[in-house]
Amino acid sequence: TLRQSGRASPATISAYGHDLFAWSRFSQQRGQTEIAQIDRSSLRAYLMAERSRGVAIRSLRRHFAALRALYRHLQHDAPELRNPVQGLAMPRAEQRLPDWLTVDQARVLMQPTSTPGAAEDQKDFIRLRDQLILELLYSSALRVSELAGLNLGDLDYHGGTVRVLGKGHKERIVPVGQPAWAALRAYLALRPAMSAGEETALFINQRGQRLSVRSIQIRVKKLGETRLGQALHPHTLRHSAASHLLQSSGDLRAVQEFLGHAGIGTTAIYTHMDYQQLAQVYDQAHPRSRRDVQDTKHFEEKA
């Protein structure tokens, strides 16, 4: 049903199937082989058992969502069926700040290992492609799935934007920075010679076919190790772009649109600040800052 509606990604549908299988197995072990036998205490016992074996709160919330979707589907065909999910409290989410790079780290990461020039061979192609991957992930705060799904027709050269298909098949237009466009032009100069047939994907592998999400993750991880000395995930660049944009502009609504978040609550997690910025604001504004304490000490010495 979710697959037909198009409201969930293939990854979400697969995860829901895994969660419901685990729940079914747990229920059968308790002797509950009929759906009508399941009550609220049964579901609560299942969630507690999952938590006790180390399942994260975030995963438990997904289990809860899978059960809610299942009963919604079942009640569509059998309205009389009791829904034990209704009224059951969802596990509270853990508040965890995302990983992100400082501005200086991002600057180092984006520095090409060699000066862009005429691409001549496969090594040049990979170098230019990987540089463009980093630039777009950071410049436009794309999800890795959005990046992998980009097609040549999604580029708007005149407007300096790119069209992406986000979660829930929602389309949005995002700006692309000048360094990213420079990397794009260098990459596109070589792409036709590497493309297989009528491949429309922007990012292709050495066989000329669309680059997979997993391949992008591997490339970004390697680039992080080479340039920063640390493993790097594509989502870290999205988090970093959001953090840096919010710190510079302070416009939470604009960042929400930029990221394609359905609700502003998701975007609000980026309102954290790094220590240097916090210390600077504190020294400038707090009545008990270091500046004011020093001024007080100077006054006392003169007195």
Side-chain angles (χ1 to χ4, degrees), residues 89 92 94 144 277 290 299:
R92 297 189 64 177
E94 298 163 320
V144 64
Q277 187 179 18
R290 186 187 303 112
F299 175 81

Side-chain angles (χ1 to χ4, degrees), residues 25-37:
R25 184 174 54 191
F26 175 84
S27 299
Q28 290 177 13
Q29 290 173 348
R30 289 166 55 94
Q32 296 171 320
T33 58
E34 300 292 334
I35 193 71
Q37 295 177 291

Side-chain angles (χ1 to χ4, degrees), residues 6-187:
R7 293 195 303 268
S9 68
T12 299
I13 294 171
S14 175
Y16 277 16
H18 180 272
D19 295 342
L20 292 176
F21 177 78
W23 165 70
S24 175
R25 184 174 54 191
F26 175 84
S27 299
Q28 290 177 13
Q29 290 173 348
R30 289 166 55 94
Q32 296 171 320
T33 58
E34 300 292 334
I35 193 71
Q37 295 177 291
I38 306 297
D39 56 18
R40 193 175 301 171
S41 63
S42 302
L43 296 184
R44 190 179 292 112
Y46 166 64
L47 295 173
M48 291 177 62
E50 289 292 278
R51 183 59 176 162
S52 66
R53 70 182 187 89
V55 175
I57 293 293
R58 183 175 181 178
S59 296
L60 284 182
R61 289 172 65 86
R62 191 192 65 211
H63 288 220
F64 191 96
L67 288 167
R68 186 170 54 192
L70 171 66
Y71 275 94
R72 187 186 304 120
H73 171 70
L74 292 174
Q75 284 192 315
H76 183 269
D77 296 327
E80 73 283 356
L81 180 67
R82 180 181 54 186
N83 183 358
V85 181
Q86 192 172 4
L88 185 64
M90 182 181 288
R92 297 189 64 177
E94 298 163 320
Q95 186 72 3
R96 185 181 67 87
L97 290 177
D99 295 329
W100 60 298
L101 301 176
T102 65
V103 174
D104 288 340
Q105 286 176 314
R107 187 177 294 114
V108 170
L109 179 67
M110 295 300 149
Q111 187 64 37
T113 53
S114 59
T115 304
E120 300 177 352
D121 56 26
Q122 215 168 58
K123 281 188 177 180
D124 288 322
F125 168 74
I126 295 173
R127 171 176 58 81
L128 294 174
R129 183 200 64 192
D130 289 356
Q131 183 66 29
L132 179 58
I133 286 174
L134 292 179
E135 292 286 357
L136 278 180
L137 285 173
Y138 180 63
S139 170
S140 302
L142 301 184
R143 299 179 178 94
V144 64
S145 59
E146 295 171 346
L147 187 81
L150 286 178
N151 295 314
L152 295 172
D154 295 326
L155 305 171
D156 182 353
Y157 300 95
H158 178 72
T161 61
V162 63
R163 180 178 65 245
V164 299
L165 194 63
K167 285 186 175 180
H169 296 278
K170 292 182 179 178
E171 187 179 281
R172 72 182 189 282
I173 306 297
V174 294
V176 178
Q178 287 300 323
W181 278 116
L184 178 65
R185 287 192 294 269
Y187 167 72

